[in-house]
């Protein structure tokens, strides 16, 4: 269950925003010690994110602080995290060339649904823990080549605590299911994206991502790709229904 809201107010040319959200998750597992079942798990993530948006003739600065409360109910445990969130961009040539720099971080919910979205063959007895993006530094350039072609080139380095990796669950027979192990991981990401707007209703997007992993304990980033290519088509049907289709190309994975 997720509930969120956002408030904002202008003070002269500056805008002050406040985002508030609460994410609650309850997961009942197969309570079988032979497969590592842990019965029932529930937790909540509360987020409070105040920020200021300042604009100039050619620049914009978003700056704020995200405060997270990560609460486990069984057993009871509460942790607080403070993440600086900021991005600066400068419009060099009237939206044709816009370089940007930023810093961020977050707490991300891991659930049975999020795991099966990535790997539909996971076991139902999973150790659930939320992932902390300790910090991310990023920069890039976005802009337009013509009136209907835009681009975005981005590089980032992010460090994660409790990032899930997928390994074979050897406690089951046959061992064709996966469980998760967590590790502290630094990921360098290089991305490129080009979008083509054929009409007001039809858009195509081609995106490529390359990932370089550095792990604290594990030998490899198990079942995580080194590169991924995505081709997306989006069709807007009378501003009422959005149709979207994605085709993925993914590298071999350890």
């Amino acid at each position: 269950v997720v509930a969120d809201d956002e408030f904002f107010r202008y003070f002269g040319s500056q805008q002050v925003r406040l985002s508030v959200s609460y994410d609650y998750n309850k997961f009942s597992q197969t309570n079988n010690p032979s497969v590592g079942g842990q019965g029932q798990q529930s937790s909540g993530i509360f987020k409070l994110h105040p920020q200021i948006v300042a604009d100039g003739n050619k620049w914009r600065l978003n700056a704020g602080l995200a405060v997270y409360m990560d609460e486990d109910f069984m057993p009871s445990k509460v942790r607080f995290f403070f993440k600086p969130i900021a991005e600066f961009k400068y419009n060099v040539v009237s939206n044709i060339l816009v370089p940007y720099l930023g810093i961020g971080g977050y707490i991300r919910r891991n659930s049975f649904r999020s795991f099966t979205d990535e790997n539909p063959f996971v076991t139902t007895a999973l150790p659930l823990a939320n992932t902390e993006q300790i910090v991310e530094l990023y920069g890039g350039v976005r802009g337009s080549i013509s009136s209907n072609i835009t681009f975005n080139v981005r590089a980032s380095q992010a460090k994660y605590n409790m990032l899930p990796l997928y390994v074979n669950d050897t406690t089951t027979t046959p061992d064709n299911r996966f469980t998760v192990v967590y590790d502290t991981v630094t990921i360098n990401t290089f991305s490129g994206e080009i979008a083509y707007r054929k009409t007001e209703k039809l858009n195509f997007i081609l995106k490529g991502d390359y990932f370089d992993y550095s792990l604290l304990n594990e030998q490899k980033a198990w079942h995580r790709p080194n590169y991924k290519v995505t081709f997306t088509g989006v069709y807007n049907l009378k501003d009422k229904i959005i149709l979207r289709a994605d085709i993925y190309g993914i590298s071999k994975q350890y």
Side-chain angles (χ1 to χ4, degrees):
V1 179
V2 178
D4 56 39
D5 208 343
E6 184 175 48
F7 311 91
F8 65 90
R9 183 174 180 179
Y10 282 94
F11 295 89
S13 61
Q14 295 182 349
Q15 184 188 82
V16 177
R17 295 179 183 175
L18 177 64
S19 301
V20 182
S21 67
Y22 185 74
D23 182 348
Y24 174 78
N25 182 67
K26 183 178 180 180
F27 179 45
S28 296
Q29 304 186 56
T30 303
N31 192 15
N32 187 341
S34 67
V35 295
Q38 297 181 23
Q40 194 175 89
Q41 297 184 63
S42 61
S43 63
I45 300 175
F46 175 75
K47 175 186 175 183
L48 186 67
H49 181 198
Q51 60 177 317
I52 297 175
V53 182
D55 290 288
N57 290 331
K58 289 191 173 184
W59 58 270
R60 167 172 280 198
L61 174 65
N62 293 11
L65 179 70
V67 181
Y68 291 87
M69 183 180 72
D70 186 7
E71 183 176 12
D72 289 326
F73 296 104
M74 291 180 266
S76 180
K77 182 173 63 174
V78 177
R79 295 172 298 172
F80 288 91
F81 301 88
F82 302 88
K83 304 293 181 183
I85 310 291
E87 181 178 274
F88 177 80
K89 61 182 180 180
Y90 188 83
N91 196 341
V92 177
V93 186
S94 186
N95 293 321
I96 296 176
L97 196 65
V98 183
Y100 58 90
L101 294 169
I103 183 173
Y106 57 75
I107 304 299
R108 184 183 67 201
R109 154 80 58 227
N110 287 322
S111 64
F112 184 68
R113 173 64 183 271
S114 68
F115 287 146
T116 55
D117 283 345
E118 286 191 333
N119 187 336
F121 306 106
V122 293
T123 179
T124 56
L126 289 168
L128 290 184
N130 296 327
T131 296
E132 176 194 6
Q133 187 187 71
I134 300 171
V135 66
E136 180 190 30
L137 301 173
Y138 65 89
V141 178
R142 57 177 172 257
S144 59
I145 300 173
S146 67
S147 60
N148 56 357
I149 299 177
T150 60
F151 68 92
N152 188 9
V153 180
R154 187 181 190 271
S156 69
Q157 182 179 84
K159 187 173 183 179
Y160 298 86
N161 187 33
M162 302 298 287
L163 185 75
L165 309 172
Y166 298 98
V167 297
N168 287 94
D169 183 5
T170 58
T171 64
T172 61
T173 304
D175 58 349
N176 59 355
R177 291 285 176 176
F178 293 86
T179 186
V180 295
V181 294
Y182 295 95
D183 202 356
T184 299
V185 183
T186 299
I187 306 178
N188 296 314
T189 305
F190 304 92
S191 304
E193 178 181 302
I194 188 164
Y196 174 61
R197 184 179 183 183
K198 184 173 177 61
T199 66
E200 289 187 0
K201 296 183 179 296
L202 184 60
N203 296 273
F204 298 101
I205 304 167
L206 180 64
K207 182 180 180 182
D209 299 286
Y210 174 79
F211 309 99
D212 178 66
Y213 304 93
S214 177
L215 298 98
L216 180 63
N217 298 309
E218 298 294 321
Q219 292 181 340
K220 299 290 183 181
W222 310 120
H223 282 271
R224 289 191 172 272
N226 286 111
Y227 67 81
K228 180 171 65 175
V229 179
T230 309
F231 179 72
T232 301
V234 182
Y235 184 73
N236 186 335
L237 183 61
K238 297 182 179 180
D239 294 323
K240 296 182 182 296
I241 299 175
I242 306 297
L243 304 178
R244 177 185 177 117
D246 298 291
I247 300 174
Y248 299 95
I250 301 175
S251 70
K252 293 182 179 180
Q253 303 166 60
Y254 287 97

